[in-house]
Amino acid sequence: MLRNISRRSLLAGLGAVAATGQAFAGAPARSLRPHLRGQKDRLPYFERPEDLLETAGISGDLAWSVADVKSGLILESVQGSTGLPPASVAKALTTLYALETLGPEYRFKTQILARGRLENGVLTGDLVLRGGGDPTLTTDALARLAADLKKLGLREVRGEFVVDDTALPYTRSIDEGQPDQVGYSPAVSGIALNFNRVHFEWKAVSGGYNVTMDARTERYRPDVQMAVMKVVDRSLPVYTYADSDGKDSWTVARGALGKGGARWLPVRRPGAYAGDVFRTLARANGIVLPPARIAGIGMEGTEVLAENSSAPLPLLLRNMLKYSNNLTAEMIGMTASAQLLGKPPASMKASADKMSRWASERFGMKNTMLEDHSGLGDDSRMTPEDLVAALVEARRTGILLPLLKSIPVLDSKGRQVKSSPIKVQAKTGTLNFVSGLGGFITAADGTELAFAIFAADSKIRASLSREERERPRGARHWNGRARMFQQKLIARWGALYGSS
């Protein structure tokens, strides 16, 4: 059972920024088929679930489970104990892990520290930018910190400028199997700026291209020195990456650029990125800093000069679930593990192991083992029955439902059903040839169901080269069919188990 968190406290956390039943254990492992009456016998919703599996038309593996929330009774389970990649549905578990461990009032802090004496505008000592694991830190927030230093009268630093990003372990890429250029798999450490993405823009000019790399927001657009881009004469590969002389060094194929465009590229050196941008913003406030040194600095002997706090944890989690941001999931998940361990976890994988053990102890998720907190990695496995057990318990405490987004109900032609009597709040999960959906259904008669649906063709995924993973052939069609099958199951359950 989730402890020390009430629905009231969770909703209070969200507001700051803008029933008991039978045990799940021992429920039948296959579907309970109700007695059908009248015209229901001729409706497709009442096919045997095993027949639906045979006619799904989706290559690979398919598994699902659904339970009554009030009683916890499994109503239907087809291969429900089969472990499959959950994709971003894993973020629902990360949400529960973070809320219990950190609490709904938790806020991440990014600090500017002085290690030395500040007198008459001169700091005789070091200035430290200390990351606190905030996944939502932006250029705007760094600009406010620089302005705060100006208000304190700081003009000169006679020591070093240090960026401390050791609050969380460094990971070069959330999933090393992803192409270098995809923004959804950046590096992770104790500091992140703009979701550890740098903005690359190009415009065709006479004889070549104008190229910029910056850390833009709506208010600011500081150029970045630690990430560089070179246009080269080739067609493929479109991008190459190298860690060269302490910089993220990119090349891009001239043949792929056209007249102009822009995209966000992942940052592999988060501390250097944040330090680079903060130096520029400090200089705009009359404070000249030396190049940043990346190092761990203890709090002993330091003074806090300025501080930025994130929004409360529930808002961060709601946005994480809505936009499915992988970096947010990893940083929040590792922060939760650090809270339990009393120190930073040894690695992202070690933290995911800790979360998996926690899930086993809390919810009986014995067949779930995750390699990260976002679901991006191929080796993570979760069973539908495991997730449904956690969802049933989470619904009783009321802490997850307010954070999940509404999923539109579609008809057989993929069109949204307006004023649908069935309401769905869930977390989606999508990778190439992997599709998942898990959450809650409220039927027309008010019956609440918890469900999980996982589909994956691991053989096709394993056959893809690293570069093919950005846009592989056939993936869009496969994922579309998987989503339509999810809708078919939702319609079935709403009619079958939610009819008075």
Side-chain angles (χ1 to χ4, degrees):
M1 182 175 180
L2 296 176
R3 300 173 295 180
N4 303 324
I5 301 175
S6 66
R7 185 173 187 274
R8 178 179 296 177
S9 65
L10 175 68
L11 294 175
L14 288 170
V17 294
T20 62
Q22 288 178 258
F24 192 89
R30 299 187 67 81
S31 62
L32 299 178
R33 301 186 66 208
H35 177 68
L36 306 181
R37 298 177 299 215
Q39 296 299 313
K40 286 185 178 181
D41 295 83
R42 292 193 283 271
L43 290 176
Y45 304 128
F46 300 100
E47 299 176 68
R48 291 190 325 130
E50 295 81 2
D51 294 337
L52 293 177
L53 181 65
E54 294 173 1
T55 60
I58 304 169
S59 64
D61 297 305
L62 188 59
W64 68 83
S65 185
V66 62
D68 177 74
V69 165
K70 186 175 181 180
S71 67
L73 185 69
I74 298 179
L75 302 174
E76 183 173 302
S77 187
V78 174
Q79 302 196 73
S81 60
T82 300
L84 293 175
S88 286
V89 178
K91 294 181 176 74
L93 183 62
T94 301
T95 297
L96 296 174
Y97 183 52
L99 282 171
E100 173 173 320
T101 305
L102 301 174
E105 305 302 321
Y106 189 88
R107 294 174 184 257
F108 294 88
K109 297 184 184 300
T110 304
Q111 298 174 318
I112 302 294
L113 309 175
R115 190 168 62 174
R117 186 175 60 180
L118 175 60
E119 190 174 26
N120 297 324
V122 177
L123 174 60
T124 305
D126 302 330
L127 189 74
V128 181
L129 169 59
R130 187 172 189 270
D134 183 1
T136 61
L137 185 70
T138 65
T139 297
D140 290 351
L142 288 188
R144 289 192 293 271
L145 290 174
D148 288 343
L149 294 183
K150 181 179 181 180
K151 291 177 183 177
L152 288 175
L154 180 64
R155 302 188 313 274
E156 182 181 353
V157 175
R158 293 183 177 173
E160 293 185 301
F161 172 43
V162 180
V163 177
D164 183 351
D165 65 351
T166 59
L168 300 175
Y170 173 77
T171 303
R172 180 189 175 276
S173 176
I174 295 172
D175 178 17
E176 288 285 358
Q178 298 294 331
D180 280 327
Q181 69 270 16
V182 294
Y184 55 77
S185 189
V188 186
S189 74
I191 197 165
L193 180 64
N194 303 328
F195 300 106
N196 280 342
R197 299 180 304 172
V198 62
H199 190 262
F200 164 46
E201 186 173 10
W202 65 94
K203 294 180 181 179
V205 295
S206 178
Y209 287 90
N210 280 338
V211 172
T212 60
M213 301 283 272
D214 60 58
R216 68 178 56 190
T217 61
E218 290 185 2
R219 297 188 61 189
Y220 300 95
R221 189 175 170 176
D223 289 335
V224 171
Q225 306 300 317
M226 58 73 59
V228 295
M229 177 67 73
K230 182 179 180 181
V231 180
V232 298
D233 289 320
R234 66 167 187 262
S235 296
L236 292 173
V238 176
Y239 291 95
T240 69
Y241 168 83
D243 185 337
S244 178
D245 297 325
K247 295 184 177 182
D248 285 350
S249 297
W250 295 90
T251 72
V252 62
R254 186 183 302 274
L257 293 183
K259 294 183 178 179
R263 71 173 290 169
W264 290 91
L265 293 171
V267 166
R268 303 290 177 216
R269 303 170 62 83
Y273 181 44
D276 185 353
V277 173
F278 188 75
R279 282 187 74 212
T280 299
L281 298 168
R283 186 166 57 248
N285 283 274
I287 306 166
V288 179
L289 300 177
R293 181 171 70 89
I294 315 303
I297 299 294
M299 291 294 292
E300 185 177 352
T302 65
E303 176 188 357
V304 178
L305 300 182
E307 185 174 87
N308 180 79
S309 294
S310 73
L313 182 61
L315 180 60
L316 271 58
L317 292 169
R318 184 169 64 184
N319 287 337
M320 177 194 75
L321 293 170
K322 180 178 180 180
Y323 299 109
S324 208
N325 186 274
N326 296 322
L327 180 72
T328 300
E330 300 305 339
M331 295 184 74
I332 289 178
M334 284 197 284
T335 300
S337 293
Q339 181 81 358
L340 290 177
L341 295 168
K343 61 182 180 180
S347 65
M348 186 178 73
K349 176 64 166 61
S351 177
D353 288 344
K354 180 69 175 176
M355 185 172 77
S356 298
R357 292 193 299 273
W358 171 87
S360 177
E361 294 168 1
R362 291 290 187 269
F363 304 123
M365 298 178 72
K366 304 296 185 183
N367 299 309
T368 292
M369 183 56 65
L370 303 178
E371 65 171 339
D372 55 37
H373 311 83
S374 62
L376 186 59
D378 275 345
D379 293 336
S380 288
R381 292 293 182 269
M382 181 181 287
T383 73
E385 289 179 356
D386 273 0
L387 180 58
V388 167
L391 291 172
V392 167
E393 179 62 26
R395 185 66 189 101
R396 290 169 180 167
T397 63
I399 68 169
L400 181 61
L401 188 64
L403 304 179
L404 293 171
K405 66 179 180 181
S406 296
I407 303 297
V409 176
L410 308 180
D411 63 19
S412 61
K413 295 183 179 180
R415 299 171 300 193
Q416 184 172 349
V417 179
K418 296 181 179 180
S419 302
S420 170
I422 299 173
K423 306 299 180 185
V424 182
Q425 288 175 272
K427 180 69 192 84
T428 58
T430 303
L431 298 170
N432 293 318
F433 302 102
V434 174
S435 183
L437 187 66
F440 304 98
I441 299 169
T442 303
D445 67 350
T447 298
E448 287 190 314
L449 307 171
F451 74 95
I453 310 166
F454 296 141
D457 193 325
S458 298
K459 290 184 179 179
I460 293 182
R461 278 188 64 80
S463 71
L464 298 174
S465 69
R466 193 159 175 260
E467 284 305 314
E468 284 177 323
R469 290 198 168 201
E470 188 166 15
R471 293 186 184 89
R473 293 177 59 183
R476 184 174 180 180
H477 175 73
W478 188 97
N479 285 89
R481 288 185 66 90
R483 286 191 292 271
M484 287 308 301
F485 187 75
Q486 293 165 1
Q487 290 287 334
K488 188 175 183 179
L489 287 176
I490 288 169
R492 166 190 169 80
W493 295 331
L496 184 59
Y497 303 119
S499 300
S500 301

